[in-house]
Amino acid sequence: MARLSNRERWDSVPEAFVAPGMATQPTGEYCDMVLKAQQNPEAFWLQQAQRLAWQTFPQAASRSDFTGDVLVQWYPGGVLNASESCLDRHLHTQPNKAALIWEGQEDGQREVLSYKDLHARVCRLANTMRRLGVKKGECVAIHLPMVAEGIIAMLACARIGAIHVVLFGGFSPEGLAERLSDSGAVLVLTADVARRGDKRIPSKETMDTALLRCAEKSRVQHVLVVPVTGASVPMHVGRDLNYAQEVAKEQPDCPAEPMQAQDPLFLLYTSGSTGRPKGLVHGTGGYMVWASFTHAVTFDHKPTDVFWCTADISWITGHTYVVYGPLANGGTIMVYEGLPSWPQPGRWWDVIDRNGVTVFYTSPTVVRAAMREDSAVLQSRSLESLRILGTVGEPISPEAWHWFHDEVGKGRCAVVDTWWQTETGGVMITAAANSVTPRAGAASLPLPGVEATLLDTQGTVVHGAGEGLLCMARSWPGQAQSIWQDHARFKQTYFTTCPGYYFTGDGARREADGYYWITGRVDDVVNVSGQRIGTAEIEDAIATDHEVVESAAVGIPHDLKGQGLVVFVVPRAQGVFHPDAVNRAVAAGVGRYAVPEKIYVVRDLPKTRSGKIVRRLLRKIAAHDLDGLGDLSTLADPDIVQELIALVGAQG
Ligand code: WTA
């Protein structure tokens, strides 16, 4: 496959920045960056490295190579510590500036940590971890709700060179156990109990069960329990320790471990096409440059901003835009523990007004839910502090985009849709605020230095307007380096579909002037409310029920969640099987968040003669989209299709 020549790369994007008839012309500075990054990426990315505090400045930008064994390597020779870039250097220039504003979900719970306070709290925990025996290069699991300690824990790991693995609070004990064993975490931080509106989530109890499940494979020595509600929870003597008591014993200063640029900063598990979640490894130097660069450029960062990214820290969005990007840039981050509409609708708007939030970065699911509320909810709030709005995680419909722009932004805020992935570390395609004219519903343009490309299924580059598999022709600093303990899987997953390119797993359409529209995943990953769920993970969990012969999970369009999960299940004995068994198996194996929308108990699944399930057909049948089912004669049992159509039609 031919690689893109410079001329072709040039053709694929920049005209859009100077296209006539644009409502706002992009600023010269942004155009300048696009051109510089294209003409001399090495020089451009070395210059961007100056955004960080290095102990030794790198000798080169990239030694990455998408061929052969695949190497993603940024800033060789560079030595730094991510927590120094986020804390220490701001400590000298703005010690009393608010680094973190935290609001709890109960009335009146609010705390403001200056850079000095945050630094001290990170250091106390870093010292605690060192005392508990955590070494550079070892993994620490963080299983916490949106409390300041979650962010403090990430930075404390970075400080001592431990690799953090943030685990989602919604995982079942099984899901946690799998990730604890795979990462080899030696320390866990969890909460006594987490709050979600009226609900209480027994974090410690869930973690205890998880640790029992993986007892033989786990390397966990200690569990630090953060008192979130103060509830009393069982403590295992010798293993479990109270966070508050332990950090109180330590000094508020702790030397930062010098790290090579490519030393891992964190692992983050995400779903793919197979059942086993993969731990993507992000290095320190490249990731931090990307976090800082993309935060500054996408959100047109200003020192006076109060930046609120509503993502949970267990998501890559929470890593890059709750923690590392804004703090590296010396910003003020807003962290809110609770739900958008609890205890009453409009709670998030109150958080914005009370704290003077200037940038509000959330998901299309949140926007769609807010659109459904009584308009009085929004009208009774001021929202005048806002200047930029953003979304991430799934496509935003033009209708939702306009509502966000007109009603929340009152027509005066830039709205940025941002396309990116756990694997990309930070934003890749967007209409950077106040630099690129957005188009409602489009992800828009690749950031400077991002060489987005479309390939057809034969692996040929699509030029100009067209549709295809979204790939990257060249590495960028935020790119994940590998999959934890499984580089072969990394290569296989991302670099074999389109050899020589990074394959994103998404499809996209490009307009003649370079604007990208994401059409969705082309693999077996479903995106429910922005949460990536591998259909294979669901099927593996269901397979643990011995009454099930096989199952197939597919995604269908969903008004509120973007996509919903539908499961077709073939039981051993028809008539006696209850679909609740599927829900139980998914809740136990994956977590309640992945419980399907709809379950159809069926006699068989549509398969090719070689026994491969034809998911394309299941997707169409489940979505009641019966046009263009195609040639069914190649199926092992063509009659099954009509049977499924009738069943889905009857059950709705
Ligand atoms: C999807 C989230 C359309 C996409 C940061 C991608 C999007 C997957 C958008 C990554 C967007 C994310 N428009 N689709 N703006 N943002 N996606 O790893 O399918 O949780 O591959 O990272 O979400 O999900 P992940």
Side-chain angles (χ1 to χ4, degrees):
M1 186 187 324
R3 311 230 357 136
L4 289 181
S5 68
N6 272 340
R7 179 70 216 155
E8 284 163 333
R9 284 190 189 121
W10 177 269
D11 280 347
S12 64
V13 177
E15 284 81 355
F17 297 104
V18 289
M22 292 173 93
T24 328
Q25 287 297 334
T27 64
E29 204 188 328
Y30 191 87
C31 280
D32 210 44
M33 278 200 290
V34 172
L35 297 182
K36 282 200 172 125
Q38 240 161 17
Q39 284 159 358
N40 190 346
E42 183 69 15
F44 180 76
W45 291 123
L46 258 188
Q47 191 199 354
Q48 290 303 326
Q50 288 168 2
R51 303 179 147 279
L52 305 182
W54 295 88
Q55 295 171 10
T56 309
F57 196 76
Q59 292 137 9
S62 177
R63 294 226 179 101
S64 308
D65 182 357
F66 289 174
T67 61
D69 268 349
V70 177
L71 177 71
V72 176
Q73 196 190 65
W74 281 87
Y75 301 119
V79 178
L80 78 169
N81 183 288
S83 83
E84 280 187 335
S85 282
C86 289
L87 300 171
D88 302 53
R89 60 173 165 159
H90 307 312
L91 202 58
H92 304 307
T93 54
Q94 46 180 37
N96 299 318
K97 178 174 177 173
L100 188 163
I101 307 175
W102 178 79
E103 263 203 35
Q105 73 158 26
E106 309 301 325
D107 274 346
Q109 285 185 311
R110 185 168 184 273
E111 193 178 10
V112 181
L113 300 183
S114 65
Y115 270 94
K116 190 161 165 250
D117 301 331
L118 184 60
H119 174 266
R121 286 180 57 175
V122 166
C123 286
R124 285 185 200 276
L125 178 58
N127 283 328
T128 307
M129 289 183 182
R130 277 203 176 129
R131 168 164 53 82
L132 295 177
V134 179
K135 306 255 171 350
K136 177 177 177 173
E138 288 184 327
C139 288
V140 170
I142 301 174
H143 176 246
L144 288 168
M146 291 303 282
V147 290
E149 286 77 5
I151 292 137
I152 291 168
M154 290 163 76
L155 292 165
C157 287
R159 191 135 194 114
I160 63 167
I163 304 169
H164 60 69
V165 188
V166 187
L167 300 171
F168 175 45
F171 286 142
S172 64
E174 203 57 56
L176 292 174
E178 195 176 6
R179 290 161 176 86
L180 287 171
S181 338
D182 187 76
S183 64
V186 295
L187 173 74
V188 172
L189 286 102
T190 189
D192 47 4
V193 169
R195 300 179 274 234
R196 252 183 104 68
D198 287 327
K199 274 200 222 141
R200 292 292 174 268
I201 295 145
S203 309
K204 170 67 165 58
E205 214 179 296
T206 310
M207 185 50 76
D208 283 345
T209 315
L211 287 167
L212 269 179
R213 295 259 161 98
C214 63
E216 275 163 30
K217 292 193 209 145
S218 140
R219 295 179 54 209
V220 174
Q221 299 291 313
H222 289 288
V223 177
L224 273 177
V225 183
V226 176
V228 171
T229 65
S232 110
V233 288
M235 299 288 275
H236 294 230
V237 179
R239 186 194 73 182
D240 301 350
L241 299 162
N242 179 300
Y243 177 100
Q245 288 168 6
E246 294 306 314
V247 295
K249 297 177 192 164
E250 297 296 336
Q251 292 301 313
D253 203 2
C254 169
E257 193 73 38
M259 305 298 287
Q260 295 295 320
Q262 60 270 24
D263 283 340
L265 177 61
F266 63 87
L267 306 185
L268 190 57
Y269 285 91
T270 190
S271 299
S273 308
T274 70
R276 228 162 23 96
K278 41 193 184 195
L280 284 153
V281 183
H282 278 284
T284 307
Y287 171 81
M288 286 300 296
V289 169
W290 197 240
S292 165
F293 172 76
T294 56
H295 169 258
V297 172
T298 307
F299 302 102
D300 183 26
H301 174 67
K302 302 270 185 275
T304 46
D305 275 336
V306 176
F307 189 88
W308 186 18
C309 165
T310 67
D312 191 89
I313 52 162
S314 62
W315 199 23
I316 187 69
T317 313
H319 283 58
T320 311
Y321 301 110
V322 173
V323 186
Y324 290 111
L327 291 178
N329 293 337
T332 298
I333 58 174
M334 176 76 225
V335 178
Y336 175 58
E337 180 194 14
L339 301 169
S341 296
W342 191 92
Q344 71 279 319
R347 177 67 193 253
W348 277 16
W349 310 135
D350 292 338
V351 171
I352 293 174
D353 280 350
R354 203 165 23 244
N355 298 289
V357 169
T358 58
V359 186
F360 178 56
Y361 186 33
T362 192
S363 67
T365 297
V366 166
V367 176
R368 287 192 295 269
M371 279 170 84
R372 295 182 169 197
E373 282 169 0
D374 189 336
S375 58
V377 171
L378 201 60
Q379 276 152 20
S380 59
R381 270 77 181 187
S382 143
L383 305 183
E384 67 181 9
S385 57
L386 290 174
R387 66 179 194 94
I388 288 167
L389 305 173
T391 59
V392 57
E394 34 167 339
I396 181 162
S397 67
E399 189 200 2
W401 192 96
H402 281 295
W403 183 87
F404 204 28
H405 178 266
D406 298 347
E407 304 299 324
V408 179
K410 318 281 187 213
R412 61 175 167 71
C413 297
V415 176
V416 291
D417 177 15
T418 61
W419 176 89
W420 59 291
Q421 312 179 292
T422 306
E423 294 84 345
T424 71
V427 175
M428 299 287 278
I429 303 183
T430 190
N434 303 331
S435 290
V436 175
T437 308
R439 252 169 234 175
S444 298
L445 297 175
L447 282 177
V450 170
E451 292 197 11
T453 303
L454 296 179
L455 275 83
D456 66 19
T457 43
Q458 271 72 53
T460 312
V461 173
V462 176
H463 296 281
E467 194 161 339
L469 305 174
L470 179 61
C471 295
M472 300 297 151
R474 176 192 278 274
S475 186
W476 62 98
Q479 184 169 26
Q481 299 179 155
S482 193
I483 289 176
W484 185 244
Q485 318 268 28
D486 202 347
H487 192 71
R489 189 177 174 199
F490 182 66
K491 182 180 163 189
Q492 165 66 32
T493 309
Y494 303 108
F495 302 93
T496 49
T497 312
C498 305
Y501 292 82
Y502 164 76
F503 171 51
T504 63
D506 278 11
R509 183 164 63 75
R510 188 177 52 218
E511 295 185 67
D513 61 0
Y515 273 64
Y516 281 84
W517 296 70
I518 307 298
T519 50
R521 301 288 304 194
V522 297
D523 56 7
D524 294 323
V525 172
V526 179
N527 194 332
V528 181
S529 300
Q531 181 104 34
R532 258 166 87 162
I533 303 178
T535 53
E537 269 173 83
I538 303 289
E539 291 158 15
D540 283 1
I542 297 172
T544 58
D545 184 325
H546 297 299
E547 295 309 308
V548 171
V549 178
E550 63 181 341
S551 70
V554 294
I556 55 161
H558 187 284
D559 275 357
L560 195 60
K561 301 177 180 172
Q563 278 194 297
L565 259 184
V566 171
V567 169
F568 292 85
V569 56
V570 183
R572 254 173 233 296
Q574 293 282 336
V576 290
F577 181 79
H578 198 284
D580 273 355
V582 169
N583 288 336
R584 280 196 299 274
V586 174
V590 184
R592 294 213 60 78
Y593 72 96
V595 163
E597 210 62 45
K598 189 91 197 153
I599 298 159
Y600 297 108
V601 181
V602 298
R603 173 178 67 80
D604 201 359
L605 300 170
K607 290 190 191 137
T608 59
R609 293 208 184 108
S610 59
K612 200 169 180 307
I613 298 171
V614 189
R615 288 163 187 284
R616 184 185 60 81
L617 283 176
L618 289 174
R619 259 180 238 127
K620 288 181 82 73
I621 295 169
H624 305 273
D625 168 16
L626 302 179
D627 291 338
L629 288 181
D631 179 12
L632 305 179
S633 64
T634 56
L635 296 182
D637 172 9
D639 294 343
I640 193 68
V641 172
Q642 283 314 322
E643 218 175 296
L644 295 184
I645 292 173
L647 181 91
V648 169
Q651 294 186 8

